Amino acid sequence: MSLELRDVTKRFDDVVAVRELALEVPAGEFLTLLGPSGCGKTTALRLIAGFERPDAGSIVFDGRDVTRDSPQRRGFGMVFQSYALFPHLDVAANVSYGLRARGEPAAEIPGRVAASLRRVNLEGYGERAVQALSGGQQQRVALARSLAVEPPLLLLDEPLSNLDAALREQTRRELRDLVKALGITAVFVTHDQEEAFALSDRIAVLEAGRLRQIGPPEVLYRRPADPFVATFVGRANLLPATLSDGSPRRVDFGGGASWTADADDDTPAGPVLALLRPEDLEMAGTGGGLPGVVRDRRFAGATTSFVLRVEPPGGPLDLEVIAEDRAGVGDTVTVRPRGGRTIRVFPRPADGSR
């Protein structure tokens, strides 16, 4: 069952939390709303759930306008950041709460609770107190409660943020496998791009209530629409440069450093910002690239992270490079793209900012 937001806007007094948001989520897709704090992603999720009503626009689910429907009438599943479990109820009572609220036949409820707990690998936990469970187990109880009502749409508001790093990685893998196995359409909210990459079929990047870009993780990473997306989705260096005409187009950093560019067709020749991902670069001896001096190096196992001081047009900048190299602090090196990789470029802002 598909979801569609049609130019949805939501204001809180003078603050526009969501501005003309248009999204389509096909049936069975796992979509993540990604962005910094205050970007409107949780407000967007609450609008979908029915906890907030838009000031403009409409929300359509499975071909039906649900904009004015209550959360109960929509029947979506919701997993909150705090899990919102009832501490005075045991696991089974928590999981059955939605079923009882909907007036499901009492004889069917124990079987559906047991089936929901099996889905999240908590079979046999029904009589346990929720306070006695670990954070990861509580998260799975909250998920089981949402799944017990067999929702047509599952909404998740940063449900993994309270887990430690190792447990988060395990739980998000289990979550994606479960959602895909059940064929549920899901909308997930997070500010963590690694989490978004691991879970999502597509990612919608929001900033200040606006949709900046939507697409598969690899598209957002390799072909971001603008500098904001480039710097929010992964580690990024943005350097001022000059874009040429012709075919192939090239980006020039001065001093003989000129590399093949990945520019949109409507990007004019002239000043641009060039996106250099740290792992897309390599270091060599002097000549044939962008010269720099090693300011810092940090060992990270298979690779080492270097900070180089380079001097493109517009003044000196620090550039991060991730490479297998033994260069030391103070060494002069040359930076260039790894074998055949092109450089994504964006028009430079009118104020000349980087």
Side-chain angles (χ1 to χ4, degrees):
M1 296 182 179
S2 62
L3 171 72
E4 186 177 358
L5 275 64
R6 298 176 178 172
D7 298 325
V8 170
T9 294
K10 179 63 181 178
R11 298 179 180 86
F12 295 101
D13 297 324
D14 295 332
V15 177
V16 182
V18 175
R19 188 186 300 270
E20 298 177 350
L21 180 59
L23 284 174
E24 292 186 28
V25 187
E29 180 174 78
F30 198 122
L31 176 78
T32 293
L33 304 180
L34 175 68
S37 297
C39 73
K41 56 188 184 293
T42 292
T43 298
L45 198 74
R46 291 177 62 82
L47 287 164
I48 296 169
F51 299 128
E52 304 286 352
R53 288 194 174 180
D55 297 301
S58 59
I59 300 170
V60 176
F61 184 72
D62 195 28
R64 182 171 67 89
D65 191 325
V66 299
T67 309
R68 302 300 167 189
D69 287 356
S70 67
Q72 292 76 17
R73 181 169 170 77
R74 296 184 197 197
F76 301 157
M78 184 88 179
V79 181
F80 298 92
Q81 181 176 0
S82 62
Y83 312 145
L85 299 175
F86 300 108
H88 62 288
L89 300 178
D90 64 17
V91 168
N94 269 277
V95 175
S96 68
Y97 182 83
L99 294 169
R100 298 184 189 280
R102 293 188 182 202
E104 299 291 343
E108 296 180 7
I109 290 177
R112 292 177 65 175
V113 168
S116 192
L117 288 174
R118 278 197 301 272
R119 287 172 180 158
V120 298
N121 296 319
L122 287 179
E123 187 172 9
Y125 279 67
E127 296 182 359
R128 297 198 186 188
V130 293
Q131 304 99 313
L133 303 181
S134 67
Q137 290 170 333
Q138 290 184 22
Q139 189 272 343
R140 283 188 275 168
V141 172
L143 181 58
R145 182 177 59 189
S146 292
L147 295 176
V149 298
E150 299 177 355
L153 177 67
L154 182 63
L155 308 175
L156 304 110
D157 187 11
E158 303 205 51
L160 310 183
S161 61
N162 295 326
L163 306 181
D164 62 55
L167 189 55
R168 284 179 76 174
E169 183 174 354
Q170 174 189 339
T171 305
R172 69 192 182 203
R173 185 168 55 248
E174 293 172 348
L175 174 61
R176 178 173 170 84
D177 289 346
L178 177 60
V179 169
K180 286 301 179 182
L182 296 174
I184 298 175
T185 306
V187 180
F188 184 92
V189 160
T190 185
H191 62 273
D192 185 329
Q193 62 95 8
E194 182 180 346
E195 193 165 271
F197 279 18
L199 286 166
S200 312
D201 297 314
R202 288 191 305 157
I203 299 170
V205 180
L206 303 182
E207 189 220 7
R210 292 186 182 274
L211 177 64
R212 299 301 291 260
Q213 188 175 0
I214 183 169
E218 59 271 22
V219 172
L220 267 62
Y221 191 80
R222 289 298 171 196
R223 302 202 81 246
D226 56 40
F228 173 80
V229 177
T231 53
F232 194 81
V233 179
R235 297 157 76 174
N237 303 291
L238 287 174
L239 271 64
T242 303
L243 179 66
S244 71
D245 276 324
S247 181
R249 305 187 77 178
R250 299 187 68 80
V251 59
D252 182 15
F253 295 91
S258 177
W259 304 323
T260 304
D262 172 15
D264 292 337
D265 293 340
D266 59 355
T267 304
V272 293
L273 287 177
L275 167 63
L276 306 176
R277 296 283 187 199
E279 71 276 11
D280 286 344
L281 301 172
E282 62 183 6
M283 299 189 303
T286 57
L290 185 64
V293 176
V294 178
R295 297 189 62 193
D296 191 20
R297 67 190 305 272
R298 295 181 182 177
F299 178 71
T303 60
T304 302
S305 176
F306 296 86
V307 177
L308 312 180
R309 175 56 59 91
V310 297
E311 298 200 18
L317 285 172
D318 285 341
L319 177 71
E320 182 183 9
V321 178
I322 296 176
E324 299 176 15
D325 198 281
R326 297 187 179 278
V329 174
D331 290 351
T332 298
V333 297
T334 297
V335 180
R336 59 190 176 214
R338 292 183 183 273
R341 297 188 186 179
T342 57
I343 305 300
R344 181 75 171 147
V345 300
F346 312 103
R348 200 180 308 179
D351 61 5
S353 62
R354 303 174 186 173

